[in-house]
Amino acid sequence: MTSSNTQSIHAASAVEMPLIDTRELRNTFGMFATGVTAITALGENDQLVGITANSFSSLSLDPALILWSLVLSSPSVSAFDEGKYFNVNILSQSQEAIAMQLATRSEDKFSAVQYCLSPTGVPLLDGALATLQCQVEFTRVAGDHLLIVGRVLDFDRVDEGEPLVFYRGGFKQLCN
Ligand SMILES: Cc1cc2nc3c(=O)[nH]c(=O)nc-3n(C[C@H](O)[C@H](O)[C@H](O)COP(=O)(O)O)c2cc1C
């Protein structure tokens, strides 16, 4: 890098940026269409934890890693301490009601949800397009969220059906 480039980078970092309008930022983030997952885990006293999340992303094939983020104000943060188990359930377009239910704070989120337990004791949702059984590799606080990196222990998929899609703040169908 030339010294003039170095100087221009330093100059750029000194530029005053306007204050960020978080509502506008949220709307801008919402232009990125995503799938929808239901993250399941075990909370205190082995209470079932379920959280709708679209921050999921694949991360690494070797080792097999995924990531997602959880808002720090969630009562379920401690369910994702390092070494704990969780499952990623990739939702189908017929599972919008489950996505809504797991996005709403409640004592019994699983009352109308059909599931079985993985060998790690965590719910695997019936009807999911794919599931990933994971163990928390590490976490890191990043702003107002906890970044959770999980190691994939096992996985399964059905190879049919359509994904639930989230775009601009609403659920959408994938057009073929
Ligand atoms: C489509 C969709 C995607 C969401 N993605 C996330 C996410 O990635 N991380 C997160 O912390 N909350 C996300 N939420 C909000 C949580 O689902 C919700 O705040 C939380 O699960 C409420 O339950 P709790 O308070 O028991 O945690 C999402 C909600 C919806 C509807």
Side-chain angles (χ1 to χ4, degrees):
M1 184 182 287
T2 65
S3 61
S4 66
N5 278 343
T6 312
Q7 279 165 9
S8 63
I9 287 170
H10 287 159
S13 64
V15 170
E16 272 194 33
M17 300 299 288
L19 280 181
I20 286 187
D21 179 327
T22 50
R23 175 160 293 276
E24 285 300 318
L25 181 61
R26 180 194 285 254
N27 292 343
T28 302
F29 284 166
M31 299 303 290
F32 184 58
T34 68
V36 182
T37 69
I39 308 283
T40 51
L42 296 177
E44 280 171 32
N45 305 317
D46 285 346
Q47 193 191 347
L48 301 185
V49 168
I51 298 161
T52 301
N54 69 339
S55 55
F56 166 80
S57 179
S58 55
L59 178 60
S60 164
L61 285 175
D62 186 14
L65 299 173
I66 61 93
L67 64 81
W68 69 288
S69 63
L70 176 62
V71 67
L72 287 170
S73 59
S74 169
S76 302
V77 164
S78 63
F80 300 95
D81 289 343
E82 203 175 302
K84 292 203 170 166
Y85 297 106
F86 66 96
N87 292 338
V88 179
N89 302 268
I90 299 176
L91 298 183
S92 75
Q93 69 180 19
S94 64
Q95 293 181 301
E96 185 176 327
I98 293 177
M100 292 305 295
Q101 184 156 342
L102 297 185
T104 309
R105 193 162 294 181
S106 146
E107 282 301 302
D108 185 15
K109 288 187 173 187
F110 287 83
S111 56
V113 178
Q114 305 288 313
Y115 63 90
C116 63
L117 295 180
S118 62
T120 52
V122 178
L124 287 170
L125 303 194
D126 293 1
L129 289 184
T131 56
L132 298 151
Q133 295 173 45
C134 302
Q135 184 169 24
V136 178
E137 184 86 356
F138 67 86
T139 63
R140 182 157 172 194
V141 172
D144 54 11
H145 277 61
L146 184 71
L147 176 66
I148 298 164
V149 172
R151 182 177 287 258
V152 179
L153 305 176
D154 203 356
F155 57 93
D156 196 14
R157 64 176 186 276
V158 294
D159 280 332
E160 59 186 27
E162 299 292 334
L164 187 58
V165 173
F166 196 68
Y167 176 60
R168 297 188 78 178
F171 295 104
K172 310 285 178 200
Q173 311 257 320
L174 194 66
C175 301
N176 291 312

